[in-house]
Amino acid sequence: MPAKLEVVAGPNEGQVFTLTEDSKVTIGRGETANFRLSDTTVSRTHCVIEYFGGEAVIKDCASKTGTKVNGDPITAHQLKSLEAIVIGSTKMRFVSGPAPAAASLKAQLDEEAGDTDELAKLSGTTLAHYQLGQVVGVGHSGVVFRAKDTKDDREVALKVYLPEFAENDEDLQRFIRAVKTMLPMRHPNVVTLYGGGKTGPYCWMAMEYVDGESLAKTIERLKESGNLDWRPALGVGLDIGRGLFYIHSEKIIHRNLTPGNILHSRLGTAKMGSLILAKALSGALAKNVTVGGELLADIHYIAPEQAGAGGPVDGRADIYSLGSVFYALLTGKPPFQGSTQLQTATWILQRDPPPPRLANPSIPKPLEKIVLKMLAKKPEDRYQTAGDLLAELEELPK
């Protein structure tokens, strides 16, 4: 059974390397490395992983900075699933073995749901200078409250994270750096971040409150009504495309663009959220989007290179994700929807999406062509920039 290395921090963050049975691979920054990293603190041939009979052994190759597993320097170590590997400034996670049984996965998810239920009890209390009102959203890492900022006298959406979100100083400093990076960012199609910090055991961030609904709810409502009009979908595509153009120009890759992370205001404007994860997805944050190596983020909307195809995760992955969101708005469902996460990931890697006009013949052919190009398996076959995508979308009749 294939195993994989997930890069969770460092210059190649988001990249996934697949290990096949009975193989030996080298990891480093040199041209001869099987898994090549762009991390200048990594040796040309830094370490090697031997994967035979379902067992993986990692060996340091007399590297300059050494190889660590779970924080301890090693010369040779038999890897277990979900162990952390650090070489240079790159942190990876080894994932092996079958997906957890449905009952086991459900139990773990129920446990996490219990944790967020505890957070929800903060409603009606005060955290820092925020009065927490009703819960307006629940995720795997925390709970979003409608809140009153008593310092600046404004309404905000306050996300409060589980205590383990920043369980050590490294995670906390990473979160603080991410908040500082995001604070200056202003765009009409990006949810504004007002501030962030830690009070007691809880990290939190205060954001613009958007009066509306998540695009996930919009898609569900459209699906139930059968009112799959392509014109509002085009409006959302243009809005989020403009948002992507802005964040990409700021050297930010979203990496987790899903309907649940897009807010549709009652004024008709779409805004992307969860940008903080784009800058801080590692450490405890990374653990909050996986259970037993399974992605808890909405896997239906990730690009092939994020699902295991390998290669760099750049702006073209966001373009693929927007294509999947676009597809769901046009048809009522994502392009690939397997019975399990593993099956969905396999289809993302191996199958071509059914043309959306099969489900919704009212879609103009030029729009269908654009969406299918966004969903190309190979990044080089997609639009190379959000600007390229916008240029074609803006030419369509409204």
Side-chain angles (χ1 to χ4, degrees):
M1 175 176 293
K4 59 185 178 180
L5 289 175
E6 300 172 346
V7 182
V8 297
N12 296 79
E13 181 180 329
Q15 195 164 350
V16 178
F17 298 109
T18 300
L19 293 159
T20 57
E21 285 278 11
D22 299 331
S23 63
K24 179 178 179 180
V25 297
T26 55
I27 304 171
R29 62 181 174 84
E31 293 183 0
T32 60
N34 301 115
F35 295 168
R36 192 176 180 188
L37 300 169
S38 53
D39 186 346
T40 56
T41 62
V42 168
S43 297
R44 292 184 180 278
T45 302
H46 198 105
C47 58
V48 62
I49 294 181
E50 299 173 353
Y51 188 50
F52 295 94
E55 295 183 352
V57 175
I58 184 169
K59 298 178 180 179
D60 185 69
C61 297
S63 61
K64 292 182 180 178
T65 56
T67 300
K68 294 181 180 179
V69 177
N70 298 330
D72 297 324
I74 60 98
T75 52
H77 175 85
Q78 185 170 330
L79 289 165
K80 299 180 182 65
S81 190
L82 302 185
E83 286 193 314
I85 303 166
V86 175
I87 59 174
S89 62
T90 294
K91 183 176 180 179
M92 299 178 286
R93 182 190 295 106
F94 174 72
V95 180
S96 177
S104 173
L105 181 58
K106 182 179 184 302
Q108 289 174 282
L109 291 173
D110 288 344
E111 183 179 347
E112 288 204 357
D115 291 339
T116 53
D117 284 347
E118 285 299 311
L119 278 184
K121 293 178 182 178
L122 293 173
S123 181
T125 67
T126 298
L127 187 68
H129 51 90
Y130 300 95
Q131 293 176 351
L132 275 58
Q134 67 185 38
V135 173
V136 294
V138 179
H140 299 294
S141 58
V143 173
V144 181
F145 298 87
R146 188 170 182 170
K148 174 69 177 295
D149 181 346
T150 59
K151 182 179 177 182
D152 292 319
D153 191 27
R154 62 185 170 193
E155 190 173 41
V156 301
L158 191 78
K159 183 161 187 177
V160 182
Y161 291 93
L162 294 167
E164 56 266 31
F165 178 88
E167 56 190 356
N168 57 53
D169 188 62
E170 181 184 352
D171 289 339
L172 178 60
Q173 292 306 314
R174 186 180 294 111
F175 172 67
I176 292 171
R177 288 195 300 271
V179 168
K180 288 181 177 178
T181 300
M182 293 299 140
L183 277 175
M185 298 185 70
R186 294 291 185 273
H187 189 275
N189 300 117
V190 176
V191 174
T192 300
L193 176 67
Y194 295 136
K198 187 175 185 183
T199 303
Y202 305 114
C203 282
W204 52 266
M205 62 180 184
M207 302 165 287
E208 167 190 8
Y209 178 76
V210 179
D211 185 15
E213 63 183 5
S214 76
L215 211 59
K217 291 183 179 178
T218 302
I219 291 169
E220 192 61 33
R221 180 167 47 79
L222 293 175
K223 182 179 178 181
E224 290 176 359
S225 68
N227 184 25
L228 298 168
D229 188 346
W230 62 270
R231 292 171 183 83
L234 176 58
V236 171
L238 283 164
D239 280 352
I240 302 305
R242 290 167 185 144
L244 286 180
F245 182 80
Y246 171 71
I247 69 167
H248 291 173
S249 70
E250 296 290 324
K251 310 301 181 187
I252 304 288
I253 309 302
H254 195 291
R255 293 189 177 90
N256 189 33
L257 190 63
T258 71
N261 290 331
I262 297 172
L263 296 174
H264 203 201
S265 78
R266 300 193 192 283
L267 299 177
T269 303
K271 295 172 176 272
M272 71 174 77
S274 292
L275 268 179
I276 197 76
L277 293 180
K279 293 299 291 182
L281 187 57
S282 58
L285 274 161
K287 285 182 273 187
N288 283 326
V289 294
T290 62
V291 168
E294 286 279 284
L295 279 169
L296 293 182
D298 200 335
I299 197 171
H300 302 93
Y301 299 93
I302 66 173
E305 54 268 33
Q306 294 173 286
V313 176
D314 54 29
R316 295 171 296 181
D318 285 346
I319 288 172
Y320 180 98
S321 294
L322 177 55
S324 297
V325 172
F326 220 147
Y327 189 104
L329 279 168
L330 292 168
T331 68
K333 60 182 180 181
F336 303 103
Q337 199 167 28
S339 58
T340 65
Q341 293 191 52
L342 180 59
Q343 186 179 65
T344 299
T346 301
W347 288 356
I348 289 172
L349 291 169
Q350 298 178 358
R351 292 189 176 186
D352 292 325
R357 280 172 52 85
L358 292 177
N360 183 359
S362 70
I363 301 168
K365 288 184 178 179
L367 178 54
E368 178 184 67
K369 183 179 177 181
I370 290 172
V371 172
L372 291 176
K373 183 173 180 178
M374 295 169 75
L375 293 171
K377 290 280 183 271
K378 297 179 179 179
E380 58 267 28
D381 293 334
R382 298 174 208 148
Y383 294 97
Q384 296 303 287
T385 68
D388 295 338
L389 168 63
L390 284 170
E392 292 207 11
L393 286 177
E394 288 170 348
E395 289 182 1
L396 293 173
K398 309 298 187 287

